[in-house]
Amino acid sequence: MADQENRIVATDLCYAYPEAAANAVDGVRMRVKRGEFLAILGHNGSGKSTLAKLLNALYVPTRGSVLVCGLDTRDDELVFDIRQHAGMVFQNPDNQIVATVVEEDVAFGLENNGVPPAQIRERIDEALRAVNMTDFAKKAPHMLSGGQKQRVAIAGIIAMRPDVLILDESTAMLDPSGRREVMQTVHRLNEEEGISVVLITHYMSEAATADYVLVMDEGKIALTGTPREVFSQVERVRALGLDVPPMTDLAHTLRAQGVPIAPDVLTVDEMVEEICRLSLKT
Amino acid sequence: MLKDITLGQYFPGDSPVHRMDPRMKLILTIAYIVGVFLVSDLLGYALALAFLYLVVRVAGLPFGYLVRGVKPLRFILVFTFLLNLFFFPGTTPILSLGFFTLTREALQKAVFFALRLVFLVMGTSVLTLTTSPMQLTDGLERLMRPLTRFHFPAHELAMMMTIALRFIPLLLEETDKIQKAQMARGADFESGNLLMRAKAMVPLLVPLFVSAFRRANDLAMAMEARCYRGGEHRTRLRELKYTRLDALAAAATACFLLVIFAEGRFLG
């Protein structure tokens, strides 16, 4: 089997939708290690959502393979094991909550896997605590805000104790405060519990906080590297139909005006530091 | 506006009736209804009412809730009452008006039949008022489980009920939204005759159906991602357990049935 540190290994991964001429995902090679935070970017139709669904056996590759914790997604027998290792949170918070009570919904995955009732109770409490939703355990999902609903959905996945958490544009339908709630939760789970995260997103600011960024274009990997490496190639990123984080954009503009600022600034804090450094020099 | 509709009519509480096992409640409700149908005189109905009142008091429900539950049935009640009154063949006339003769038997039949309906509704109301929809589906699933041997889809039915309950508020909200959006574009849902109004519903229903299908697709994907594979090997967060409370309730209902039976046999 693959070595312990690799959570997801994809080799020459291809997937074509039935009756589609071109591959939606075409020859992707990627690896996610234990505790790693990977962001996948790409414009609409670039194949990033398809890629996500290949990572937990919702789709089976037409060519190449995906190993999740050493388990091959092409093996029918392993499907449920794989989905337990790689949990997925979807885009629409309303369409992924099954039960009419929050704690019942968190229990759903555990019930499906035949976990004994006493343990289910324990794990629900643990999962709701991890996403800071303990007070809402008995509430009806339709009474919650979008961010709260997504946290419930995350709790439902966390309760299954996955090794990888895949977020398929899970913040796309949320308001800014809901987005912040969800991102904070995801980062905490990543740092404290060591859960690997694969974050598919439209938001550059979210991608900037990842360990690695992977940019998809027409099913292929167009760019890859740390957020700093990727976003410093401003022209290239723009050509792929994406924005760069606002501070990187500002640095780029300033450089074009002849200000000798570093091209790889990502956050406001870094920008402040960079400007201070410059003003000291002059 | 549509969002305010309460689903089912669950009346939250912590009474012994609320705490009973939903399976036992279902069984006893059916037993009670059978009992009511065995009744054949007014004393029997008085006993049935007394028993129902006792249960309602124990459950801490306002009796008015039960009466309110009968209200939507008033047309059916009047209709069956009149039907029985006019057409039931009787032999002892008590009133004669031209071609119509009111007989004692018809009057009795009409009154009793209406009473039966009322008790039927009130009896089941006690069940739905004291049992949350979630518990009710759980109870139904368990009760129907033996039927799975004959390929009866007990788990699937319960799952469908749960999902329906989950999505009704969502779809109501969405209907409201679509309705407002169409009204903003000049759609008219309120005027015109019945046919025109029915036609006006089309721009409301088409988007609603499209969205419902999309939701169904998303939900299926999400359920699969969370290892859903049907009812087999599935455990439940809350296991249903019969307690002494259920035995007590069963005994009380058995007593009621016995009394009803004896009363019909020896006094009726």
Side-chain angles (χ1 to χ4, degrees):
Chain A
M1 282 296 186
D3 80 284
Q4 279 295 310
E5 286 297 296
N6 282 334
R7 291 300 189 220
I8 292 178
V9 180
T11 31
D12 187 30
L13 185 58
C14 294
Y15 181 82
Y17 284 94
E19 288 165 44
N23 280 343
V25 167
D26 194 8
V28 167
R29 248 189 86 202
M30 61 179 272
R31 195 173 61 178
V32 180
K33 286 190 188 148
R34 182 174 186 281
E36 213 166 54
F37 196 123
L38 172 75
I40 300 179
L41 292 169
H43 57 85
N44 287 336
S46 61
K48 57 189 194 304
S49 264
T50 313
L51 177 59
K53 291 186 178 92
L54 283 161
L55 300 183
N56 71 342
L58 282 173
Y59 296 160
V60 177
T62 41
R63 205 181 75 210
S65 72
V66 180
L67 297 179
V68 178
C69 297
L71 307 168
D72 193 327
T73 62
R74 287 171 302 185
D75 190 339
D76 276 344
E77 311 254 300
L78 297 176
V79 164
F80 295 110
D81 286 329
I82 288 167
R83 289 183 188 154
Q84 204 177 327
H85 281 296
M88 186 151 170
V89 180
F90 294 83
Q91 181 175 23
N92 189 326
D94 284 319
N95 296 354
Q96 54 184 319
I97 294 179
V98 185
T100 46
V101 182
V102 165
E103 60 174 14
E104 300 253 1
D105 186 72
V106 177
F108 183 73
L110 301 171
E111 292 177 338
N112 289 336
N113 284 328
V115 177
Q119 261 189 56
I120 295 186
R121 180 81 266 165
E122 208 175 289
R123 290 219 224 161
I124 293 175
D125 294 341
E126 195 183 285
L128 283 175
R129 217 176 307 128
V131 299
N132 212 355
M133 286 291 286
T134 310
D135 295 343
F136 298 88
K138 308 268 183 208
K139 291 273 188 319
H142 66 99
M143 307 302 269
L144 304 179
S145 76
Q148 288 170 334
K149 277 183 241 184
Q150 277 312 43
R151 271 148 68 201
V152 170
I154 293 175
I157 300 298
I158 292 301
M160 294 200 284
R161 299 197 174 141
D163 297 299
V164 187
L165 181 62
I166 304 165
L167 297 126
D168 187 1
E169 296 192 41
S170 304
T171 56
M173 294 179 73
L174 304 181
D175 56 14
S177 73
R179 219 154 63 213
R180 201 158 44 234
E181 276 170 39
V182 170
M183 285 314 293
Q184 274 168 2
T185 308
V186 171
H187 272 288
R188 202 177 52 243
L189 289 168
N190 174 243
E191 280 149 30
E192 289 171 17
E193 319 268 330
I195 298 170
S196 310
V197 175
V198 177
L199 173 80
I200 288 134
T201 183
H202 270 306
Y203 295 103
M204 300 308 134
S205 52
E206 286 174 9
T209 60
D211 296 331
Y212 289 98
V213 176
L214 197 154
V215 183
M216 299 277 296
D217 186 46
E218 301 192 338
K220 293 187 174 67
I221 296 179
L223 273 175
T224 173
T226 62
R228 218 171 284 282
E229 287 163 11
V230 169
F231 290 125
S232 57
Q233 304 172 52
V234 177
E235 259 83 42
R236 187 76 209 285
V237 171
R238 289 222 173 107
L240 293 166
L242 298 173
D243 281 331
V244 292
M247 286 306 132
T248 316
D249 188 29
L250 179 60
H252 187 70
T253 315
L254 287 173
R255 275 175 77 83
Q257 300 291 320
V259 181
I261 206 162
D264 58 356
V265 179
L266 288 177
T267 64
V268 177
D269 287 343
E270 285 174 18
M271 180 56 96
V272 170
E273 225 168 88
E274 194 67 18
I275 290 171
C276 290
R277 196 179 54 81
L278 277 178
S279 58
L280 277 179
K281 245 197 265 175
T282 50
Chain B
M1 145 203 93
L2 280 164
K3 216 179 163 186
D4 302 329
I5 293 174
T6 48
L7 283 177
Q9 36 176 354
Y10 181 50
F11 187 84
D14 195 35
S15 74
V17 182
H18 283 85
R19 287 199 306 268
M20 273 172 67
D21 189 306
R23 287 174 295 180
M24 188 52 92
K25 276 194 265 194
L26 275 162
I27 295 170
L28 294 186
T29 305
I30 294 169
Y32 177 78
I33 289 165
V34 170
V36 167
F37 275 71
L38 287 175
V39 164
S40 54
D41 58 8
L42 280 176
L43 181 61
Y45 283 113
L47 283 171
L49 185 67
F51 184 73
L52 191 70
Y53 187 72
L54 185 81
V55 176
V56 168
R57 284 310 294 268
V58 174
L61 299 170
F63 204 76
Y65 259 69
L66 293 196
V67 179
R68 210 183 303 164
V70 179
K71 226 169 144 190
L73 239 74
R74 55 191 187 273
F75 294 114
I76 299 177
L77 276 176
V78 171
F79 184 68
T80 50
F81 182 82
L82 291 178
L83 215 63
N84 274 313
L85 201 61
F86 289 136
F87 296 112
F88 191 74
T91 47
T92 354
I94 45 174
L95 188 72
S96 207
L97 278 174
F99 60 92
F100 167 66
T101 325
L102 180 65
T103 66
R104 201 187 142 76
E105 285 82 2
L107 181 65
Q108 191 183 4
K109 179 82 183 169
V111 170
F112 283 5
F113 206 86
L115 278 175
R116 264 180 205 171
L117 276 178
V118 170
F119 275 100
L120 180 84
V121 174
M122 292 209 292
T124 43
S125 292
V126 172
L127 176 71
T128 50
L129 281 167
T130 61
T131 319
S132 74
M134 208 69 190
Q135 275 183 307
L136 210 56
T137 43
D138 261 11
L140 275 172
E141 182 179 354
R142 284 318 151 83
L143 278 180
M144 293 187 302
R145 191 175 282 173
L147 295 175
T148 46
R149 217 170 301 157
F150 311 108
H151 302 289
F152 184 80
H155 165 75
E156 285 77 3
L157 272 180
M159 195 74 217
M160 278 160 59
M161 277 171 70
T162 309
I163 292 174
L165 284 170
R166 159 85 184 87
F167 280 86
I168 285 169
L170 271 180
L171 290 180
L172 283 178
E173 206 179 312
E174 192 151 340
T175 315
D176 203 26
K177 222 186 275 173
I178 298 171
Q179 193 168 11
K180 284 196 181 118
Q182 304 288 34
M183 272 154 78
R185 294 174 201 166
D188 181 7
F189 294 109
E190 262 120 43
S191 58
N193 59 27
L194 203 64
L195 190 72
M196 278 160 79
R197 260 193 272 178
K199 249 182 163 169
M201 293 302 270
V202 172
L204 185 66
L205 291 178
V206 171
L208 191 67
F209 269 80
V210 170
S211 133
F213 276 108
R214 198 165 33 226
R215 280 182 197 281
N217 194 26
D218 280 6
L219 183 72
M221 190 77 93
M223 283 170 73
E224 252 189 273
R226 285 165 79 185
C227 305
Y228 181 70
R229 60 193 109 166
E232 259 171 86
H233 307 301
R234 211 161 176 263
T235 49
R236 298 309 311 266
L237 165 63
R238 257 192 289 280
E239 295 287 278
L240 297 178
K241 253 194 244 113
Y242 290 119
T243 60
R244 203 189 285 161
L245 210 62
D246 299 296
L248 212 69
T253 313
C255 281
F256 164 74
L257 286 178
L258 216 67
V259 168
I260 289 283
F261 195 66
E263 189 269 345
R265 197 71 192 271
F266 301 116
L267 296 173

